[in-house]
Amino acid sequence: MSSDPRTAILNAAGEVFGRYGFKKASVEDIAKRAGVGKGSIYLHFENKEALFEACVKQEVARGFVELRARLREAKTPVEQVRTYIRCRIEQHTRKPEGPRIEMATVLELGEAAAHLIPQMVDEETGVLAAIIEHGVIQGAFHASDSRQVARGLVELIMVLGPWMLTSEPDAQLEKSLDSAFEVFIRGLTVPPLPTS
């Protein structure tokens, strides 16, 4: 556990919420897992909802730190889109510590975080739209509305997320998804057909 009580609480809460869901997770279980008293949690977080929101935001921030670091290594817009897709898919399929999360838990956690999703989608769309727009400027991509294309890909990956998080990775499925995403990327590189 972390020597910083707030960090220890957040880490413990993430584990407990992931294992039991939002409703069944108790502040007592989180405090015990964090090695702090129940009252310590309320020194840092107003209630269980605020603690859950902080956990979600921390996890989203971690994901973005990893994504941005990997995007910096990709040199071309095509490589950046591939990197974006691979990173997000890997983040969704990364085996959590302990047992796999049940689909019901993922859905419940998603419901509890629903008010945060529009902001997450907007931020994610902004990152991908900037990559696509940069590719358009360089002549590597042809997209009339970079933000709309980015939003579609973000939504697709987000829809796949809960299913990927709860299922064991399947090599054939991963290969199929890679092929489908490659078609998407090639579609960005092809000039649109002239309209008559």
Side-chain angles (χ1 to χ4, degrees):
M1 286 290 135
S2 171
S3 60
D4 172 37
R6 181 180 169 83
T7 301
I9 292 167
L10 280 170
N11 292 339
E15 292 174 27
V16 172
F17 286 131
R19 184 170 187 167
Y20 299 110
F22 178 76
K23 291 176 187 167
K24 290 183 182 176
S26 72
V27 173
E28 292 83 8
D29 288 339
I30 294 167
K32 184 177 179 181
R33 179 79 181 110
V36 299
K38 182 179 172 183
S40 294
I41 291 180
Y42 293 112
L43 290 174
H44 297 280
F45 303 96
E46 184 179 335
N47 51 36
K48 187 168 96 168
E49 289 78 9
L51 175 55
F52 177 73
E53 188 169 318
C55 284
V56 171
K57 287 180 177 179
Q58 175 181 274
E59 200 54 39
V60 168
R62 283 180 183 160
F64 269 111
V65 166
E66 178 184 0
L67 176 64
R68 289 182 199 285
R70 290 177 64 179
L71 286 172
R72 280 192 296 275
E73 294 173 10
K75 301 302 179 213
T76 68
V78 170
E79 287 176 21
Q80 289 175 331
V81 172
R82 279 192 188 109
T83 298
Y84 169 85
I85 292 168
R86 279 193 197 109
C87 183
R88 284 312 197 201
I89 296 294
E90 286 170 17
Q91 288 173 342
H92 287 307
T93 58
R94 196 169 288 149
K95 186 169 173 54
E97 297 297 321
R100 274 228 167 291
I101 298 174
E102 296 292 323
M103 180 60 89
T105 301
V106 171
L107 294 175
E108 183 203 349
L109 293 174
E111 187 177 295
H115 67 285
L116 300 171
I117 291 173
Q119 179 185 349
M120 292 186 303
V121 168
D122 282 346
E123 186 175 355
E124 185 118 356
T125 298
V127 169
L128 187 55
I131 293 168
I132 294 170
E133 187 59 35
H134 183 69
V136 168
I137 291 167
Q138 288 187 343
F141 293 149
H142 302 276
S144 60
D145 187 340
S146 299
R147 188 153 184 88
Q148 184 176 357
V149 172
R151 176 74 183 248
L153 184 58
V154 167
E155 292 280 357
L156 175 61
I157 292 174
M158 287 185 92
V159 167
L160 290 171
W163 174 77
M164 294 174 139
L165 188 61
T166 59
S167 303
E168 288 297 327
D170 175 320
Q172 183 59 42
L173 175 66
E174 287 180 20
K175 189 175 179 180
S176 297
L177 286 174
D178 284 345
S179 295
F181 287 127
E182 194 59 35
V183 169
F184 170 85
I185 293 168
R186 268 186 283 152
L188 282 172
T189 65
V190 176
L193 295 172
T195 56
S196 38

